[in-house]
Amino acid sequence: MNQELKRLAQNARNRLMNKGENSIKKTNAVLSPNVKFKIISTSQDESFKTRTMQLLESDALNPIGELMDLKVYNSLDEDKKQRYLLDVIEKFNRYRQEFERREQKLVY
């Protein structure tokens, strides 16, 4: 992951440096299929994180359903609904794993 970020940064730097040149240089930027890039609002992400932690502490029966914004979900078409659901599940799992790691550190 770290090497992938370094390679992407180097490619971006090279593109900026070669922007003014007349000759066009082709860089080979093969992306790893395991790397995902998302722009996330920090305030929304923190809110989601705190709600996730509260739901995990309270042992909620349907945490994904409680984390989803139903107004947003109902306004989407079918493809976007699936993508929204998968994004919520992905974020929930990421924060759940972080929460479990934090709990394990407290136990040991």
Side-chain angles (χ1 to χ4, degrees), residues 49-60:
K49 183 177 180 177
T50 55
R51 288 189 351 227
T52 301
M53 297 302 175
Q54 290 171 350
L55 290 171
L56 289 172
E57 289 173 349
S58 68
D59 292 329

mmCIF file of all heavy atoms in Angstrom, residues 49-60:
data_model
loop_
_atom_site.group_PDB
_atom_site.id
_atom_site.type_symbol
_atom_site.label_atom_id
_atom_site.label_comp_id
_atom_site.label_asym_id
_atom_site.label_seq_id
_atom_site.Cartn_x
_atom_site.Cartn_y
_atom_site.Cartn_z
ATOM 1 N N LYS A 49 -18.364 7.622 12.179
ATOM 2 C CA LYS A 49 -17.518 6.843 13.081
ATOM 3 C C LYS A 49 -18.095 6.816 14.497
ATOM 4 O O LYS A 49 -18.169 5.748 15.115
ATOM 5 C CB LYS A 49 -16.105 7.432 13.103
ATOM 6 C CG LYS A 49 -15.137 6.662 13.953
ATOM 7 C CD LYS A 49 -13.757 7.270 13.860
ATOM 8 C CE LYS A 49 -12.759 6.518 14.696
ATOM 9 N NZ LYS A 49 -11.404 7.054 14.557
ATOM 10 N N THR A 50 -18.529 7.962 15.002
ATOM 11 C CA THR A 50 -19.078 7.985 16.362
ATOM 12 C C THR A 50 -20.384 7.195 16.445
ATOM 13 O O THR A 50 -20.608 6.474 17.412
ATOM 14 C CB THR A 50 -19.312 9.427 16.845
ATOM 15 O OG1 THR A 50 -20.145 10.116 15.922
ATOM 16 C CG2 THR A 50 -18.003 10.163 17.008
ATOM 17 N N ARG A 51 -21.232 7.312 15.410
ATOM 18 C CA ARG A 51 -22.476 6.529 15.408
ATOM 19 C C ARG A 51 -22.173 5.037 15.343
ATOM 20 O O ARG A 51 -22.828 4.230 16.011
ATOM 21 C CB ARG A 51 -23.355 6.932 14.217
ATOM 22 C CG ARG A 51 -23.975 8.279 14.379
ATOM 23 C CD ARG A 51 -25.022 8.640 13.345
ATOM 24 N NE ARG A 51 -25.165 7.746 12.219
ATOM 25 C CZ ARG A 51 -25.230 8.114 10.953
ATOM 26 N NH1 ARG A 51 -25.145 9.387 10.646
ATOM 27 N NH2 ARG A 51 -25.385 7.234 9.997
ATOM 28 N N THR A 52 -21.158 4.660 14.569
ATOM 29 C CA THR A 52 -20.771 3.247 14.478
ATOM 30 C C THR A 52 -20.299 2.738 15.830
ATOM 31 O O THR A 52 -20.695 1.655 16.265
ATOM 32 C CB THR A 52 -19.661 3.064 13.427
ATOM 33 O OG1 THR A 52 -20.130 3.513 12.166
ATOM 34 C CG2 THR A 52 -19.254 1.609 13.316
ATOM 35 N N MET A 53 -19.456 3.496 16.492
ATOM 36 C CA MET A 53 -18.944 3.074 17.800
ATOM 37 C C MET A 53 -20.082 2.952 18.816
ATOM 38 O O MET A 53 -20.115 2.007 19.605
ATOM 39 C CB MET A 53 -17.888 4.061 18.305
ATOM 40 C CG MET A 53 -16.662 4.163 17.440
ATOM 41 S SD MET A 53 -15.828 2.578 17.246
ATOM 42 C CE MET A 53 -14.567 2.996 16.088
ATOM 43 N N GLN A 54 -21.038 3.874 18.777
ATOM 44 C CA GLN A 54 -22.174 3.796 19.702
ATOM 45 C C GLN A 54 -23.012 2.548 19.426
ATOM 46 O O GLN A 54 -23.450 1.871 20.355
ATOM 47 C CB GLN A 54 -23.039 5.044 19.570
ATOM 48 C CG GLN A 54 -22.391 6.295 20.112
ATOM 49 C CD GLN A 54 -23.178 7.551 19.760
ATOM 50 O OE1 GLN A 54 -24.109 7.506 18.968
ATOM 51 N NE2 GLN A 54 -22.776 8.680 20.339
ATOM 52 N N LEU A 55 -23.238 2.246 18.151
ATOM 53 C CA LEU A 55 -24.032 1.062 17.804
ATOM 54 C C LEU A 55 -23.314 -0.223 18.197
ATOM 55 O O LEU A 55 -23.945 -1.184 18.643
ATOM 56 C CB LEU A 55 -24.349 1.051 16.312
ATOM 57 C CG LEU A 55 -25.341 2.112 15.854
ATOM 58 C CD1 LEU A 55 -25.413 2.159 14.333
ATOM 59 C CD2 LEU A 55 -26.714 1.841 16.434
ATOM 60 N N LEU A 56 -21.993 -0.244 18.050
ATOM 61 C CA LEU A 56 -21.233 -1.435 18.436
ATOM 62 C C LEU A 56 -21.249 -1.628 19.954
ATOM 63 O O LEU A 56 -21.335 -2.756 20.435
ATOM 64 C CB LEU A 56 -19.800 -1.345 17.922
ATOM 65 C CG LEU A 56 -19.633 -1.495 16.414
ATOM 66 C CD1 LEU A 56 -18.200 -1.186 16.014
ATOM 67 C CD2 LEU A 56 -20.026 -2.896 15.971
ATOM 68 N N GLU A 57 -21.170 -0.537 20.689
ATOM 69 C CA GLU A 57 -21.203 -0.631 22.145
ATOM 70 C C GLU A 57 -22.573 -1.053 22.655
ATOM 71 O O GLU A 57 -22.679 -1.732 23.670
ATOM 72 C CB GLU A 57 -20.788 0.701 22.765
ATOM 73 C CG GLU A 57 -19.314 0.999 22.603
ATOM 74 C CD GLU A 57 -18.938 2.394 23.070
ATOM 75 O OE1 GLU A 57 -19.844 3.210 23.337
ATOM 76 O OE2 GLU A 57 -17.728 2.659 23.146
ATOM 77 N N SER A 58 -23.634 -0.664 21.933
ATOM 78 C CA SER A 58 -24.985 -1.008 22.380
ATOM 79 C C SER A 58 -25.482 -2.333 21.813
ATOM 80 O O SER A 58 -26.612 -2.727 22.086
ATOM 81 C CB SER A 58 -25.961 0.111 21.990
ATOM 82 O OG SER A 58 -26.092 0.154 20.579
ATOM 83 N N ASP A 59 -24.643 -3.027 21.036
ATOM 84 C CA ASP A 59 -25.011 -4.316 20.428
ATOM 85 C C ASP A 59 -26.326 -4.213 19.652
ATOM 86 O O ASP A 59 -27.268 -4.982 19.856
ATOM 87 C CB ASP A 59 -25.104 -5.423 21.484
ATOM 88 C CG ASP A 59 -23.753 -5.760 22.083
ATOM 89 O OD1 ASP A 59 -22.741 -5.629 21.372
ATOM 90 O OD2 ASP A 59 -23.714 -6.148 23.264
ATOM 91 N N ALA A 60 -26.384 -3.259 18.741
ATOM 92 C CA ALA A 60 -27.582 -3.049 17.927
ATOM 93 C C ALA A 60 -27.847 -4.266 17.044
ATOM 94 O O ALA A 60 -26.911 -4.920 16.568
ATOM 95 C CB ALA A 60 -27.416 -1.812 17.057
#
